[in-house]
Amino acid sequence: MTKTNDFQDIILNRRSVREYDPGVKIPRDEMLEMIQKATRAPSSLNLQPWRFVVVDSEKGKAALRPLVRWNTIQNDTSAAMVLIFGDLKCYEYGEEIYAKAVSEGKMTEEEKNQQLADIIPDYKSFPKEKMKKVVKLDSCMAAMQFMLVARSHGYDSNPIAGFDHGPLAESVGLDKDRFAPVLMLAVGKALKPGEETVRLDAKKITTFK
């Protein structure tokens, strides 16, 4: 695929594409590269609660098909369906994340220990629904960033929220009580250009104080 670093092109020419060229595949090392870039998105306390499941095999897509409801075209023709979940126990990675920050000179050991001592008990005390809101918000930022990264790599995408959320985690081998489904992203090369949609004028939706 042809890559671009033109930010205006990435933003202004991104389209939601529903039908893809089934002959185009995304190498898994390139998919990992795109996900790595997407994880540069911000997250609360840098706990990075997003988790990605890439469904790019015929067997995987066949299993996913009953859950995508009316989005079967995207599932059947895309190079991959990227499933994004929010990890309700993301704080378990706090030590690893903050230890890496220490090793890279971004904080001291004392700062790490103090911050984790404040963060971990607080997160553990959150009711489940509150925790879901936290991880879903963060994961949506990573999802949007992934779509822009995919565009920069020459691929198209379509965010999908209309799927059967209940059984999704278990269908891909995840603990449904820990991993909250957030979004599906169909990714591939458009079979035909996506249609440009209209947007409200910034003046209509913005208030200055």
Side-chain angles (χ1 to χ4, degrees), residues 147-168:
M147 287 188 282
L148 297 177
V149 169
R151 178 65 190 168
S152 76
H153 278 244
Y155 299 110
D156 302 287
S157 63
N158 180 215
I160 300 169
F163 58 88
D164 194 348
H165 287 234
L168 186 65

Side-chain angles (χ1 to χ4, degrees), residues 5-201:
N5 292 316
D6 187 329
F7 185 71
Q8 290 290 338
D9 173 76
I10 293 168
I11 295 291
L12 298 179
N13 293 315
R14 193 206 67 79
R15 301 284 183 271
S16 287
V17 171
R18 295 181 180 276
E19 189 170 1
Y20 299 84
D21 181 347
V24 173
K25 303 301 178 185
I26 301 175
R28 290 187 171 183
D29 59 348
E30 185 177 13
M31 179 64 76
L32 287 172
E33 179 187 349
M34 292 194 294
I35 290 173
Q36 191 69 64
K37 291 176 181 176
T39 64
R40 299 298 298 177
S43 65
S44 302
L45 301 169
N46 195 31
L47 288 179
Q48 307 165 42
W50 41 70
R51 303 291 179 261
F52 297 82
V53 176
V54 179
V55 182
D56 61 359
S57 67
E58 290 186 12
K59 181 180 179 181
K61 284 191 169 190
L64 191 60
R65 200 172 198 273
L67 304 181
V68 297
R69 295 181 178 172
W70 50 85
N71 298 295
T72 53
I73 292 176
Q74 296 97 308
N75 181 66
D76 294 347
T77 64
S78 64
M81 296 289 285
V82 179
L83 317 183
I84 300 178
F85 295 85
D87 184 356
L88 301 178
K89 294 184 178 181
C90 59
Y91 51 80
E92 291 185 355
Y93 287 86
E95 175 67 33
E96 180 179 345
I97 293 168
Y98 280 49
K100 187 175 182 181
V102 172
S103 69
E104 294 183 4
K106 294 178 171 61
M107 65 168 57
T108 66
E109 183 72 22
E110 292 72 25
E111 289 171 331
K112 182 203 79 169
N113 292 337
Q114 182 59 58
Q115 290 190 37
L116 288 176
D118 293 337
I119 291 168
I120 304 303
D122 196 31
Y123 263 54
K124 283 184 175 180
S125 72
F126 284 177
K128 189 172 185 179
E129 288 308 308
K130 180 177 180 179
M131 194 63 185
K132 279 185 178 181
K133 290 180 180 179
V134 171
V135 301
K136 285 185 175 183
L137 175 61
D138 288 347
S139 298
C140 279
M141 288 192 280
M144 185 70 248
Q145 187 133 313
F146 179 89
M147 287 188 282
L148 297 177
V149 169
R151 178 65 190 168
S152 76
H153 278 244
Y155 299 110
D156 302 287
S157 63
N158 180 215
I160 300 169
F163 58 88
D164 194 348
H165 287 234
L168 186 65
E170 288 185 316
S171 76
V172 293
L174 297 180
D175 180 355
K176 66 181 177 62
D177 293 322
R178 174 167 179 164
F179 299 96
V182 176
L183 203 64
M184 289 185 181
L185 300 175
V187 187
K189 190 66 178 178
L191 196 61
K192 55 184 179 181
E195 295 184 6
E196 183 175 3
T197 54
V198 299
R199 293 292 185 271
L200 293 170
D201 189 278

